[in-house]
């Protein structure tokens, strides 16, 4: 079990007579995403709701844009060691720890928001077991809008991907885009805009919400929705910190997490069309759907990746996908 630096991670603030009640637990939450992204907005919702449910006993400060100096690739071990009490991490970043974390970013498996919710419900116990191995509690997760391609030109066919220097968010995306002839690079989110600005990359695979929050219209002209995947983002906390709470406060943490997942799901459904309009208002072209032939080409390129994931993940993959197909 990894147990260290617990009391460095949780600050206890004394109460003083005649003053408003201060929080008993003050946590710093790290995220790479900017304040206008759905990831950070969900973090804020969670923090605000937890403050209410805990009667002010728990206060969380959200540090967006990697302000604490931690990248997503650092989060799992920083939380395990107690350097961070809680963090927000996109699933694909954890693929090197366990291939189960690539499930939600498998290309073209989840076709819509109902599918991605179903996959989350089925796979949650599998995710929880891995976090527990690293002395962490999985609090909640949420998905983003479907990933598309932000680029200078519309992506109509495989030919448009040839040699395209495109940012991906995990190893799966890198492999699929390599197979399609692109030149993908797996880049941390906080480094995407600087690399777009310098021309190190010219395209990005991500959802419309994240790109809009980062003003990608300053660097690209077209968003092509290919419905690639809707990867999960996890909020996970140090198990010692969680266990230090009373049962009532633990219940408040988990309830705030469940409500955050539901709030985010509603926001994603409602905001997609509005985000398309926002892009158009900035002079971008939005291609909401690719033709059937190109969609099939994309799906065919993804199949070897899915088969390889199943082989690496073992019986868990078969169990999850069988349940998914049956529902």
């Amino acid at each position: 079990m990894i147990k260290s630096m617990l009391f460095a991670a949780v600050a206890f603030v004394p109460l003083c007579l005649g003053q408003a009640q201060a929080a008993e637990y003050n946590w710093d939450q790290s995220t790479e995403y900017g304040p206008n992204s759905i990831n950070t907005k969900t973090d804020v919702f969670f923090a605000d709701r937890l403050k209410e449910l805990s009667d002010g006993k728990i206060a969380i400060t959200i540090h967006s844009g990697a302000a604490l100096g931690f990248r997503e690739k650092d989060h799992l071990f920083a939380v395990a060691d107690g350097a961070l009490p809680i963090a927000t991490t996109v699933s694909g970043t954890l693929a090197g720890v366990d291939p189960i974390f690539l499930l939600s970013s498998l290309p073209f498996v989840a076709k819509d928001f109902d599918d991605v919710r179903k996959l989350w419900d089925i796979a949650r116990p599998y995710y929880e077991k891995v976090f527990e191995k690293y002395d962490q509690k999985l609090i909640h997760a949420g998905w983003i809008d479907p990933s598309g391609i932000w680029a200078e030109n519309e992506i109509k066919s495989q030919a448009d991907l040839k040699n395209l220097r495109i940012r991906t968010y995990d190893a799966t995306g890198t492999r699929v885009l390599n197979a399609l002839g692109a030149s993908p690079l797996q880049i941390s989110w906080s480094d995407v805009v600087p690399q777009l600005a310098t021309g190190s990359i010219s395209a990005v695979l991500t959802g419309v919400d994240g790109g809009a929050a980062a003003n990608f219209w300053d660097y690209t002209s077209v968003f092509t929705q290919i419905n690639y995947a809707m990867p999960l983002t996890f909020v996970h906390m140090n198990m010692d910190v969680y266990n230090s709470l009373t049962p009532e406060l633990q219940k408040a943490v988990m309830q705030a997490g469940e409500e955050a997942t539901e709030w985010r799901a509603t926001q994603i459904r409602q905001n997609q069309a509005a985000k398309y309009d926002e892009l158009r208002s900035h002079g971008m072209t939005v291609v909401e759907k690719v033709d059937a032939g190109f969609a099939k080409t994309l799906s065919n390129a993804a199949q070897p990746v899915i088969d390889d994931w199943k082989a690496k993940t073992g019986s868990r993959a078969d169990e999850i996908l069988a349940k998914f197909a049956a529902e």
Side-chain angles (χ1 to χ4, degrees), residues 13-52:
V13 181
L15 303 181
C16 300
L17 291 175
Q19 296 182 358
Q21 178 174 307
E24 295 179 29
Y25 302 88
N26 288 278
W27 300 338
D28 292 308
Q29 182 169 345
S30 176
T31 176
E32 277 204 48
Y33 297 89
N36 294 323
S37 71
I38 190 63
N39 285 331
T40 303
K41 288 178 180 178
T42 304
D43 290 339
V44 171
F45 175 92
F46 169 71
D48 289 346
R49 190 69 183 112
L50 180 54
K51 186 175 183 179
E52 294 171 1

Side-chain angles (χ1 to χ4, degrees), residues 60-322:
I60 300 178
T61 301
I62 308 298
H63 298 270
S64 61
L68 291 177
F70 294 98
R71 305 293 191 189
E72 285 193 316
K73 62 182 176 63
D74 307 317
H75 281 171
L76 184 74
F77 297 102
V79 174
D81 290 342
L84 286 171
I86 188 167
T88 302
T89 308
V90 70
S91 55
T93 309
L94 302 169
V97 172
D98 193 301
I100 195 72
F101 289 114
L102 287 175
L103 171 63
S104 67
S105 57
L106 289 179
F108 314 110
V109 170
K111 301 295 192 297
D112 53 32
F113 293 125
D114 292 336
D115 277 356
V116 75
R117 175 185 287 277
K118 192 162 51 172
L119 267 180
W120 157 241
D121 290 339
I122 293 168
R124 180 171 186 163
Y126 299 87
Y127 295 133
E128 288 175 335
K129 287 182 180 179
V130 181
F131 277 110
E132 287 168 5
K133 283 174 58 179
Y134 289 85
D135 280 352
Q136 290 169 60
K137 181 73 172 177
L138 173 56
I139 306 303
H140 68 92
W143 44 95
I144 61 172
D145 47 302
S147 300
I149 296 176
W150 299 72
E152 188 57 34
N153 300 299
E154 179 181 350
I155 308 300
K156 299 179 182 178
S157 68
Q158 184 174 350
D160 296 318
L161 291 169
K162 186 173 178 58
N163 298 324
L164 184 68
R165 292 182 62 79
I166 180 170
R167 177 263 181 177
T168 64
Y169 43 77
D170 61 24
T172 298
T174 301
R175 183 174 169 185
V176 171
L177 285 163
N178 260 323
L180 290 163
S183 298
L185 298 168
Q186 189 175 335
I187 297 171
S188 184
W189 181 254
S190 56
D191 295 327
V192 172
V193 167
Q195 296 217 31
L196 278 172
T198 60
S200 297
I201 57 173
S202 56
V204 181
L205 177 70
T206 195
V208 67
D209 180 85
N215 298 347
F216 278 5
W217 45 72
D218 289 337
Y219 313 99
T220 63
S221 299
V222 183
F223 177 76
T224 304
Q225 180 57 270
I226 62 172
N227 287 315
Y228 175 86
M230 289 168 271
L232 291 176
T233 300
F234 298 112
V235 170
H236 49 108
M237 69 181 299
N238 180 281
M239 188 67 83
D240 289 335
V241 174
Y242 180 79
N243 287 338
S244 74
L245 303 174
T246 64
E248 291 77 17
L249 289 180
Q250 290 178 355
K251 181 179 178 181
V253 169
M254 299 311 295
Q255 181 179 335
E258 292 299 323
E259 292 184 19
T261 293
E262 296 304 319
W263 180 85
R264 180 189 182 110
T266 299
Q267 295 299 310
I268 289 293
R269 284 183 181 272
Q270 293 177 347
N271 287 351
Q272 188 173 27
K275 289 295 180 182
Y276 287 158
D277 289 341
E278 182 179 3
L279 266 60
R280 293 184 179 105
S281 75
H282 286 275
M284 290 197 69
T285 298
V286 176
V287 181
E288 297 188 27
K289 186 177 181 181
V290 297
D291 69 55
F294 184 34
K296 185 174 181 179
T297 297
L298 294 171
S299 184
N300 288 341
Q303 193 56 51
V305 172
I306 296 171
D307 292 340
D308 185 55
W309 174 81
K310 290 169 66 176
K312 289 179 179 177
T313 310
S315 60
R316 294 176 298 170
D318 294 329
E319 291 167 6
I320 292 168
L321 295 180

